[in-house]
Amino acid sequence: MPLTEKELLSFVVENLGDTQTCFQAIAEFARHNDAKILMHFFKQCHNIKLNAMEIAYQTIRALLENTGGGGIKSVHQLYEESGVSDILRGVYTIGEALLAFRDFDVERGEPLLRKGVHICHRRMRMFPSEKLDIGFFMQNAFLLECVNYPIAERFPKPSFEIVHRDLYESSPYTVFTISDSVYFRKYFARFAGELREQCGNVNIFLMLVNPEDDVISRAKEYGGMTLASTEYSGRWMAEFCVSSRFMLANDILNYVGGATIFTDVDSKFPQGSAEILSKISQYPLVLCDTGSLYPLLRIDGAIQAVQPTGETFSFFDAASDFMREDFTRTGPIYAFDQMALYRAVCLWKKKGLAVTEINSLIGGDKKFPKFFKLTEEDDVIPLGERIPLRTNNNYKPKGFRPDGRVIWEQI
């Protein structure tokens, strides 16, 4: 039997130090009660200064992640039945945005998320007991602004030059990766070694950014290799490396002329990789849908399998355009490649076109992209060394425009 509202309030007060236990009890309460009862409970939490914003948000999250028992309906009703003066109106608006993003309705979700973040920010200034970490929501909202506020400026499309080519004639597909000189020295030997050990003589297309002479010489030692170089003179190397493969995807596909698998140079290839890569290489467009509530994390950028078809070219035309727009913007744009892929999928679904999802395709207990990603223990460049180099660590929010768009300043 779930607790009554009175019992649940007492339980939360008594267990304030154990947030996980509290949130589990609240989520159970939410699954057995309608939106009006939930709203009353959240207001009671606010009245006794229990940080209702965090409680409401975590409850919405639980309802969306466990969709049984009418959770989606409840999240929608929280938004529909709340008024503009409701203390938690911003949280409910974010919940409604997440519902839209879940269904790939980015045009509806963008203004909802922007508005919800802005309201939450104002409410927290009004009520010191209310706290919610909205930094990640701000970044999602920032990267989605161009859905409804497009700009004309575009980052110049990169180009590449073929430096070396020595292919295996029997390769069933090509594995593409991109690296600067630092990442080549740290990761490529492992990348190529594990790939060849698991998958045999498959061709590799390696694109080097601003390659140094010794790196080019070492890369040429590998068989089955197409070696290309591209140039970047800007400040944000990490952002360029993750996005340029997609800006150049159609050019790469035209050059390869067949099935190509795009992946990160810091990938691993465990037992079973050969069967997986062979299977996904047979489809025109395979992406990884993580199922995340947040559009920035929904389509993972680490693994894609593609073939040179008209629909695939059209998909990457859209994704590339979104990336080239975002790369000109001032603010925390790291992972903007994934947001662009998400937006391209939204367009695709709106047109009724199909995208094959790797987890659904492979099935079983293997989960992607985790299957191909190094663990923190195995990674030779710790996350703590990467983060300071990203745009996200170099900007902070300064305020909001009247329409709710975030203003960023460089740290």
Side-chain angles (χ1 to χ4, degrees), residues 3 16 35 96 118 153 207 257 284-285 344 374 379 387 401:
L3 301 174
L16 283 178
E96 185 72 0
H118 195 195
E153 191 174 359
M207 186 170 294
L285 180 60
L374 293 174
D379 207 334
I387 288 177
R401 292 183 173 90

Short mmCIF file of all heavy atoms in Angstrom, two decimals, residues 3 16 35 96 118 153 207 257 284-285 344 374 379 387 401:
data_model
loop_
_atom_site.label_atom_id
_atom_site.label_comp_id
_atom_site.label_asym_id
_atom_site.label_seq_id
_atom_site.Cartn_x
_atom_site.Cartn_y
_atom_site.Cartn_z
N LEU A 3 1.88 5.15 0.64
CA LEU A 3 1.61 6.04 1.77
C LEU A 3 0.57 7.10 1.39
O LEU A 3 0.43 7.46 0.22
CB LEU A 3 2.90 6.73 2.20
CG LEU A 3 4.05 5.82 2.65
CD1 LEU A 3 5.29 6.66 2.91
CD2 LEU A 3 3.67 5.03 3.89
N LEU A 16 15.26 12.87 5.51
CA LEU A 16 15.85 13.90 4.65
C LEU A 16 17.28 13.57 4.23
O LEU A 16 17.73 13.98 3.17
CB LEU A 16 15.81 15.26 5.36
CG LEU A 16 14.46 15.97 5.38
CD1 LEU A 16 14.57 17.27 6.16
CD2 LEU A 16 13.98 16.24 3.97
N ALA A 35 -2.86 13.88 -10.94
CA ALA A 35 -2.07 15.11 -10.98
C ALA A 35 -2.47 16.09 -9.89
O ALA A 35 -1.61 16.76 -9.30
CB ALA A 35 -2.18 15.75 -12.35
N GLU A 96 6.65 19.12 -19.51
CA GLU A 96 5.91 19.10 -20.78
C GLU A 96 6.87 19.15 -21.96
O GLU A 96 6.65 18.50 -23.00
CB GLU A 96 4.93 20.27 -20.82
CG GLU A 96 4.02 20.30 -22.02
CD GLU A 96 2.93 19.23 -22.00
OE1 GLU A 96 2.87 18.44 -21.04
OE2 GLU A 96 2.15 19.18 -22.96
N HIS A 118 13.45 29.60 -17.72
CA HIS A 118 13.36 31.01 -17.32
C HIS A 118 12.48 31.16 -16.07
O HIS A 118 12.84 31.87 -15.13
CB HIS A 118 12.80 31.83 -18.48
CG HIS A 118 12.98 33.30 -18.31
ND1 HIS A 118 12.30 34.23 -19.06
CD2 HIS A 118 13.77 34.02 -17.47
CE1 HIS A 118 12.66 35.45 -18.70
NE2 HIS A 118 13.55 35.35 -17.73
N GLU A 153 24.39 32.99 -40.10
CA GLU A 153 25.82 32.71 -40.11
C GLU A 153 26.09 31.21 -40.08
O GLU A 153 25.40 30.44 -39.41
CB GLU A 153 26.49 33.39 -38.91
CG GLU A 153 28.01 33.39 -38.97
CD GLU A 153 28.62 34.20 -37.84
OE1 GLU A 153 27.88 34.77 -37.02
OE2 GLU A 153 29.86 34.25 -37.78
N MET A 207 40.96 10.42 -40.59
CA MET A 207 41.13 11.82 -40.89
C MET A 207 41.90 12.48 -39.76
O MET A 207 41.48 12.42 -38.59
CB MET A 207 39.79 12.53 -41.09
CG MET A 207 39.95 13.97 -41.56
SD MET A 207 38.37 14.71 -42.08
CE MET A 207 38.00 13.73 -43.52
N GLY A 257 32.31 5.34 -51.26
CA GLY A 257 31.45 4.69 -52.23
C GLY A 257 30.75 3.44 -51.74
O GLY A 257 30.21 2.65 -52.53
N PRO A 284 21.00 1.46 -44.53
CA PRO A 284 21.34 2.79 -45.04
C PRO A 284 21.72 3.80 -43.97
O PRO A 284 22.61 4.62 -44.17
CB PRO A 284 20.06 3.24 -45.77
CG PRO A 284 19.34 1.98 -46.07
CD PRO A 284 19.66 1.03 -44.96
N LEU A 285 21.04 3.73 -42.80
CA LEU A 285 21.32 4.71 -41.74
C LEU A 285 20.99 4.09 -40.40
O LEU A 285 19.83 3.84 -40.08
CB LEU A 285 20.49 5.97 -41.95
CG LEU A 285 20.67 7.10 -40.93
CD1 LEU A 285 22.12 7.60 -40.91
CD2 LEU A 285 19.74 8.27 -41.24
N ALA A 344 18.00 16.43 -36.69
CA ALA A 344 17.87 15.80 -38.00
C ALA A 344 16.92 14.60 -37.93
O ALA A 344 16.11 14.37 -38.84
CB ALA A 344 19.23 15.36 -38.53
N LEU A 374 35.25 3.10 -24.00
CA LEU A 374 36.21 2.77 -22.95
C LEU A 374 35.64 3.15 -21.59
O LEU A 374 34.92 4.15 -21.46
CB LEU A 374 37.52 3.51 -23.17
CG LEU A 374 38.36 3.14 -24.39
CD1 LEU A 374 39.55 4.10 -24.51
CD2 LEU A 374 38.84 1.71 -24.31
N ASP A 379 40.59 4.56 -19.91
CA ASP A 379 40.84 5.73 -20.74
C ASP A 379 42.18 6.36 -20.37
O ASP A 379 42.46 6.61 -19.20
CB ASP A 379 39.72 6.76 -20.54
CG ASP A 379 39.55 7.64 -21.76
OD1 ASP A 379 40.52 7.80 -22.50
OD2 ASP A 379 38.44 8.17 -21.95
N ILE A 387 37.72 18.10 -19.86
CA ILE A 387 36.66 19.07 -19.60
C ILE A 387 37.14 20.52 -19.71
O ILE A 387 36.45 21.36 -20.32
CB ILE A 387 36.01 18.80 -18.22
CG1 ILE A 387 35.17 17.52 -18.31
CG2 ILE A 387 35.15 19.97 -17.78
CD1 ILE A 387 34.54 17.10 -17.00
N ARG A 401 17.34 37.00 -21.92
CA ARG A 401 16.63 37.96 -22.75
C ARG A 401 15.14 37.92 -22.35
O ARG A 401 14.70 36.97 -21.70
CB ARG A 401 16.79 37.60 -24.22
CG ARG A 401 18.22 37.79 -24.74
CD ARG A 401 18.27 37.48 -26.24
NE ARG A 401 19.58 37.80 -26.80
CZ ARG A 401 20.59 36.96 -26.87
NH1 ARG A 401 20.45 35.74 -26.40
NH2 ARG A 401 21.75 37.31 -27.39
#
